[in-house]
Amino acid sequence: MSTQVNELVFETFPELESERLQFRAYNLNDAKTLLDLRSHQAVSKYMDTAIPTCTEDTEKRIKGYHTAFEERQGITWAIIEKNSGKHIGDFGIWRIDKQNSRGEIGYILHPEYWGKGFMTETLNTLIRFGFRKLNLHSYAANVNTENENSKALLLKFGFKLEAYFRENFYYDGRFLDSEIYCLLESDLN
């Protein structure tokens, strides 16, 4: 069993698809839809990060996604619904710890698409990609303790609660608790 992250994945952006979705690289033309996504109140409620207020903010974020990929530190896919061609969310594997073959995941989905299995389809595709192609050993997910939907999704996939940190994250004038979930490749079997 190899414990090395597969660097070949970073030679060309890995565009993937599932039954109803396409997963592709962001481009600057996505800045408006990313702004709409990340500034949507229901989406941003648990993000604990600066909410974008203009397309310049999301253009900067997209450029950061490109830099992370070029530096082999992360991959963030725009999620496109095939039937409509609409950009409906994203999924990232970032903070890739090459020494320990571990990546952190993050994801967002427009509320119009909640409860329709789109994020389940996304995780089915991209979690397996990370294990089988990127050669990760494990994933971490840092979740706002109040985000019950995200926690339920992770548990559905076999993630285990690994840690509960009390007031470890300072955001918007207060200290917040965090829950860290983990999925090992062997958990999928």
Side-chain angles (χ1 to χ4, degrees), residues 146-181:
E146 296 175 5
N147 192 342
E148 297 301 327
N149 289 339
S150 187
K151 292 190 289 186
L153 177 69
L154 293 170
L155 292 171
K156 174 180 173 178
F157 271 84
F159 279 76
K160 309 278 189 270
L161 179 61
E162 195 168 68
Y164 187 102
F165 293 109
R166 295 174 46 210
E167 297 186 7
N168 71 314
F169 187 74
Y170 187 77
Y171 172 71
D172 201 24
R174 62 189 183 116
F175 285 97
L176 305 173
D177 294 352
S178 298
E179 289 183 14
I180 309 299
Y181 288 79

Side-chain angles (χ1 to χ4, degrees), residues 2 5 18 26 38 45 47 53 61 73-74 81 85-86 90 97 101 124 139 143 159 165-166 170-171 180 183:
S2 174
V5 168
S18 61
Y26 268 99
R38 292 190 73 85
K45 182 176 181 179
M47 286 196 313
T53 58
R61 177 171 287 278
Q73 298 297 314
E81 199 263 327
K86 286 187 179 178
D90 67 38
D97 176 354
S101 299
N124 265 327
Y139 286 107
V143 182
F159 279 76
F165 293 109
R166 295 174 46 210
Y170 187 77
Y171 172 71
I180 309 299
L183 181 71

